Amino acid sequence: MALTDLPLEELRRYRPEVPEPPDFDGFWAGTLAAARRAGGDPEYRPVAESPLATVEVFDVRFPGWGGQPVAGWLLLPRGAERPLPAVITYIGYGGGRGLHLEHLLWSSAGYAHLVVDSRGQGHDTPDPDPMPQPQLWRGVMTRGIDRPETYYYRRLMADCVRAVDALRAHPAVDPSRIVVSGASQGGGLALATAGLSGDAVAAALIDVPFLCHYRRAAEIATEGPYPELAEYLGVHRRIDPERAFSTLDYFDGLHFAPRATAPALFSVALMDPVCPPSTVFAARNRYAGEAGITVWPFGDHGGGRASQQEEQLRWLADRSLGGARAG
């Protein structure tokens, strides 16, 4: 691996001017209002066959975009004092919620933990909306890119906000202490959710985030989802790149960041070929609330891995958002 972007001192100052759509707020207000109007109640089915002794596990379905059921896992630390602080985790590109045994950190630390499946990526949540064109690419990066109304991430980001709505209503959860989290695509979704959810989110953990500063990322990223966008625009010569990027402007972390006021801890890896460091700093440097950042000088797209998780646990505890203790 090698350094992939600007020197660190330049990254800390990097704040590009990327005009946002004039109807950005109206677009998202309408999107979320439509998702909430679709209604539906969350369902929590106990996983009786789980071998875990210290964690209660629930197989979740909550209403997302269009009221469509979104899968998740809810893990609750058994015997901890309630109501609990909670962490919502969004998943990286191409992945889903997986097995509940893969998600034990936060419940072990005394948090309620909701793991959100990604529609059309995870095994348990389909994306039934009809597509406006044949889908020939590897992932969802270009799905519905012709218009903001049809773009894939409109539906996924609405799901992520609805996950906050669902968890706030759970009787085991303290609605004033909900943290959104994720890495890569999950980090971009956590940033978007923080920007769209206002004071419903108490903090955000945003690791090596995807979905930020799309144009620069498409120009310089060498691995991961952004090259799908460059490849798509390179092959489909009749598609106007400016039209595609005007769609992406509605889903760019650079525009969610100024609307996010909850304290946030970002992370960035300076040898990341998937989410270039300048795209991460561009979002972090526009963030409206407290925005710390952990820099991993020799990290690749894995960032700080478990070391970053240790940083997060301490950071939350310092802000009175530590996990509950067993009774």
Side-chain angles (χ1 to χ4, degrees), residues 267-300:
S267 75
V268 63
L270 299 190
M271 293 187 175
D272 187 346
V274 177
C275 293
S278 59
T279 68
V280 176
F281 272 97
R284 181 262 183 176
N285 293 345
R286 292 167 64 94
Y287 197 88
E290 173 195 346
I293 187 165
T294 307
V295 178
W296 300 100
F298 292 93
D300 58 12

Side-chain angles (χ1 to χ4, degrees), residues 59-61 71-73 91 95-99 102-103 115-117 124:
D59 186 1
V60 179
R61 296 295 184 279
W73 296 117
I91 303 299
R97 66 173 181 162
L99 303 176
E102 300 174 84
H103 306 287
V115 182
V116 178
D117 208 31
D124 299 313

Side-chain angles (χ1 to χ4, degrees), residues 63-282:
W65 168 252
Q68 296 157 1
V70 178
W73 296 117
L74 178 63
L75 296 93
L76 301 177
R78 196 182 300 274
E81 184 178 349
R82 299 180 179 182
L84 297 161
V87 173
I88 301 175
T89 295
Y90 307 115
I91 303 299
Y93 193 78
R97 66 173 181 162
L99 303 176
H100 69 269
L101 295 171
E102 300 174 84
H103 306 287
L104 300 182
L105 171 69
W106 292 107
S107 57
S108 298
Y111 294 86
H113 186 201
L114 177 62
V115 182
V116 178
D117 208 31
S118 299
R119 64 169 54 231
Q121 300 181 56
H123 180 269
D124 299 313
T125 307
D127 182 27
D129 284 51
M131 297 300 104
Q133 73 249 341
Q135 296 303 306
L136 305 177
W137 257 247
R138 295 181 296 278
V140 297
M141 186 72 196
T142 61
R143 185 175 296 177
I145 200 170
D146 189 57
R147 295 186 297 125
E149 291 78 11
T150 58
Y151 190 46
Y152 167 82
Y153 280 100
R154 183 191 189 204
R155 301 187 292 280
L156 182 55
M157 289 176 177
D159 291 346
C160 293
V161 174
R162 293 291 283 146
V164 176
D165 293 344
L167 197 57
R168 280 172 58 84
H170 194 284
V173 170
D174 181 347
S176 70
R177 292 190 291 164
I178 290 181
V179 179
V180 292
S181 73
S184 192
Q185 175 183 260
L189 295 173
L191 172 57
T193 304
L196 291 170
S197 297
D199 59 8
V201 167
L205 305 173
I206 303 168
D207 289 336
V208 292
F210 176 47
L211 308 173
C212 296
H213 204 356
Y214 286 92
R215 186 182 291 268
R216 179 168 175 81
E219 292 170 349
I220 69 173
T222 58
E223 298 178 19
Y226 288 122
E228 291 181 30
L229 177 60
E231 182 182 0
Y232 181 84
L233 294 175
V235 171
H236 292 271
R237 302 295 177 85
R238 295 181 181 179
I239 295 175
D240 181 5
E242 295 306 316
R243 182 170 182 175
F245 283 112
S246 70
T247 290
L248 295 174
D249 281 341
Y250 288 86
F251 308 92
D252 196 323
L254 270 63
H255 303 322
F256 293 118
R259 294 166 168 81
T261 57
L265 179 62
F266 285 73
S267 75
V268 63
L270 299 190
M271 293 187 175
D272 187 346
V274 177
C275 293
S278 59
T279 68
V280 176
F281 272 97

